Amino acid sequence: MNPPLVTIIIPVYNASQYLNSTLESVTSQFYPSVEIICVNDGSTDDSLKILNKYGNRIIIIDQPNKGQCAASNAGLKIAKGDYIKFFDADDIMNPEHIELQVKRLNGRQDAIASCEWGRFYDGNPESARFIPEPVWQDMKSINWLKTALSQRIDMMGVWLWLIPRRIIEKAGKWDERLSLNNDFEFSTRLLLAADEVLFTPGAKVYYRSGLESNLASQKSKRAYEAALLSTQLGCQHLLNADSSDAMKQLCANRYQQWLYRIYPNYSEIIKQIENHIHELGGSTIEMEGGKLFFILKKTFGWKLAKRIQLLAYQLGYKPKHPHKK
């Protein structure tokens, strides 16, 4: 019997600096039955030129810039795989990644396989730290979501998953209105369409962090409006599945994290977020920071402390990466 086909879909937008490393990791998979679809989403750098170097090892879709969700849907439209893997154009997977996830699913069509992941900075994958999380185990999907949202920093990147086609057909395509935070809505919908999440030890994603070009584009009003919409939709999916007070508080905390991130910009978005938090019964999480921020927050409240923090950044203060020693 032939092994099931896995389609890896990679949206590409101005990723030329990192694309070779990503494609080398994907085209070097030990698993013998892989289809790779790269969607060049209107790149203005050398991304398309790099894709063309890979010849018939990959399938290329070249389209005007429409955003990651539209690019992912374009790849999905022509995908032939029994299983689907969405992957970012600046990350790296280890050679046994797909093989291990396929084995972990073992033909199941009602479950999604997850994996290990670790951040790396400054272009050095060897510096990635794979820190075990409470969700690094087999769990019912709703319990995985609750546990992930209970963490201070949850990770719901869609690149975690190997997804049976049947589950994607049940969950539906990417919502093309979304940009920032789009993984939250899509992953929530995917997991609720599955019965279980199966953890795959040894399947690793090296997650590239600290890209200034990406951070700049994620601070616009339009991006934050998309993040709010994704949060609204994702939380509604969750509350439709579980309307308990505990789930309401998890959703309120999710909104609160965005409030801490956005404040003091875009007052109308902040007002909407505060209304959602109030309707859900309030949040229980505190804004975090260094010793000085803690003193300022205790003395003046978090909002004024955040304004002072932003002023310090403008004057040249540079915080350390939160996951770097």
Side-chain angles (χ1 to χ4, degrees):
M1 179 181 291
N2 293 328
L5 178 66
V6 174
T7 298
I8 303 174
I9 299 172
I10 307 175
V12 179
Y13 178 70
N14 289 351
S16 61
Q17 188 175 351
Y18 320 106
L19 190 53
N20 273 314
S21 296
T22 298
L23 291 176
E24 287 301 316
S25 78
V26 172
T27 57
S28 299
Q29 289 296 298
F30 295 158
Y31 189 71
S33 183
V34 174
E35 171 188 66
I36 302 166
I37 300 174
C38 296
V39 184
N40 182 50
D41 190 44
S43 296
T44 57
D45 63 1
D46 289 335
S47 292
L48 183 57
K49 183 178 179 180
I50 293 170
L51 293 175
N52 285 327
K53 290 195 309 182
Y54 283 79
N56 60 8
R57 287 188 286 172
I58 65 175
I59 299 167
I60 301 171
I61 298 174
D62 186 24
Q63 66 179 32
N65 180 249
K66 299 178 182 179
Q68 180 188 342
C69 291
S72 297
N73 284 339
L76 190 57
K77 186 175 182 179
I78 67 167
K80 298 177 181 177
D82 305 290
Y83 298 101
I84 307 295
K85 180 84 170 182
F86 295 100
F87 204 62
D88 290 345
D90 55 7
D91 293 338
I92 296 170
M93 64 173 70
N94 60 336
E96 57 268 46
H97 186 105
I98 298 297
E99 181 178 63
L100 289 172
Q101 286 198 309
V102 171
K103 287 181 178 179
R104 189 69 189 84
L105 285 175
N106 193 29
R108 286 186 59 176
Q109 299 296 308
D110 62 343
I112 290 174
S114 66
C115 67
E116 302 177 35
W117 71 278
R119 293 183 187 274
F120 71 95
Y121 294 88
D122 305 322
N124 180 20
E126 293 181 1
S127 68
R129 298 170 61 203
F130 293 85
I131 304 172
E133 302 178 47
V135 291
W136 286 19
Q137 58 180 307
D138 295 353
M139 305 181 77
K140 290 293 184 181
S141 295
I142 189 67
N143 293 333
W144 192 100
L145 287 161
K146 288 179 179 178
T147 303
L149 288 168
S150 297
Q151 299 179 106
R152 179 68 195 193
I153 299 176
D154 61 79
M155 179 58 79
M156 293 194 191
V158 73
W159 37 263
L160 288 168
W161 321 122
L162 184 65
I163 313 157
R165 177 179 287 274
R166 185 181 301 174
I167 289 177
I168 288 186
E169 290 173 348
K170 180 179 178 181
K173 301 183 295 184
W174 291 77
D175 189 329
E176 296 184 11
R177 295 172 295 174
L178 306 178
S179 54
L180 181 59
N181 194 37
N182 55 2
D183 281 8
F184 173 68
E185 190 278 333
F186 188 65
S187 287
T188 299
R189 190 155 31 94
L190 276 178
L191 266 63
L192 290 174
D195 291 336
E196 194 172 4
V197 179
L198 304 178
F199 179 61
T200 312
K204 297 182 177 182
V205 170
Y206 297 78
Y207 181 76
R208 192 182 300 270
S209 297
L211 302 182
E212 292 299 327
S213 59
N214 289 350
L215 293 174
S217 66
Q218 294 179 0
K219 295 180 181 178
S220 69
K221 182 178 180 182
R222 183 176 180 181
Y224 282 137
E225 287 174 339
L228 175 57
L229 178 57
S230 180
T231 303
Q232 288 176 284
L233 294 171
C235 286
Q236 191 57 59
H237 300 326
L238 291 166
L239 292 168
N240 287 342
D242 178 357
S243 59
S244 66
D245 288 343
M247 183 63 82
K248 289 178 182 178
Q249 186 172 95
L250 290 172
C251 288
N253 288 347
R254 181 81 185 190
Y255 279 111
Q256 188 72 44
Q257 289 174 339
W258 281 106
L259 181 60
Y260 289 148
R261 179 171 174 177
I262 296 172
Y263 185 87
N265 299 312
Y266 310 121
S267 58
E268 63 272 29
I269 299 177
I270 289 171
K271 183 64 176 177
Q272 291 180 60
I273 293 174
E274 290 176 334
N275 288 340
H276 285 297
I277 294 169
H278 177 73
E279 290 169 0
L280 291 165
S283 170
T284 59
I285 61 171
E286 297 288 336
M287 187 173 182
E288 294 184 338
K291 291 181 180 179
L292 179 58
F293 179 82
F294 177 78
I295 294 170
L296 291 170
K297 183 179 70 171
K298 187 175 181 180
T299 305
F300 301 111
W302 74 264
K303 289 186 176 181
L304 183 54
K306 174 73 181 293
R307 288 180 180 273
I308 296 171
Q309 181 188 60
L310 291 173
L311 178 61
Y313 293 160
Q314 291 171 6
L315 294 175
Y317 173 72
K318 294 183 179 180
K320 294 180 180 180
H321 292 308
H323 296 279
K324 291 181 80 172
K325 288 187 176 180

